[in-house]
Amino acid sequence: MTDQPYPKTSHIMLWVVQVLLALGLVYGGAMKLFLPIEDLSAMWPWTGEVSSAFVKLTGVFDIVGAIGLILPALLRIKPMLTPIAALCVLVLMIAAGIFHMKRGEGPQTGFTVIFGILAAMIAWGRFKKAPIAPQ
């Protein structure tokens, strides 16, 4: 018998999703922060059409979101911050989706939609299905 009030598989599945989403956010955030705008705009045309400060800011948001998805839960210090971070990532993905739709880039928003769904899963899972207890 387990001492956890939720199935272990839910806990493991949520950790897998958290890590995958965090890796995706770190990858995108690092590219926005460290690659020259010319290189970025070859992959993501919008980055060449907005201010570089805006691109860097979105990179910071990505990195901070990734940290929020992992560290509080991993360290079990204020683990309630993990589902809150997931909600923030969801809001970020909704904002990104709206931004890209207004630019006529709807067909290229696949990762935005996937990241938003994963963030919603983490928020629901860590709030309701398999919350992590603090130390």
Side-chain angles (χ1 to χ4, degrees):
M1 183 81 182
T2 180
D3 62 343
Q4 298 171 334
Y6 50 85
K8 189 173 185 175
T9 54
S10 296
H11 181 68
I12 292 169
M13 182 199 69
L14 283 166
W15 267 113
V16 168
V17 173
Q18 282 171 243
V19 168
L20 290 175
L21 181 55
L23 287 173
L25 289 169
V26 166
Y27 176 74
M31 288 177 47
K32 292 173 192 172
L33 289 172
F34 301 116
L35 284 181
I37 293 296
E38 297 79 31
D39 294 345
L40 278 177
S41 63
M43 294 181 294
W44 301 325
W46 69 269
T47 59
E49 299 169 10
V50 298
S51 74
S52 62
F54 179 74
V55 174
K56 302 294 183 201
L57 182 63
T58 62
V60 169
F61 288 162
D62 290 346
I63 301 290
V64 170
I67 291 168
L69 290 173
I70 301 296
L71 277 186
L74 182 65
L75 300 176
R76 294 175 63 146
I77 298 171
K78 300 209 184 273
M80 185 58 67
L81 292 176
T82 291
I84 292 170
L87 286 176
C88 292
V89 170
L90 175 59
V91 169
L92 179 64
M93 293 303 116
I94 291 169
I98 292 169
F99 172 82
H100 291 297
M101 295 295 259
K102 282 187 170 189
R103 293 176 42 83
E105 300 169 343
Q108 293 89 22
T109 59
F111 277 107
T112 303
V113 171
I114 291 168
F115 281 20
I117 291 168
L118 294 176
M121 276 179 49
I122 294 165
W124 172 78
R126 290 300 180 203
F127 274 131
K128 300 287 183 186
K129 185 75 173 160
I132 295 177
Q135 275 188 6

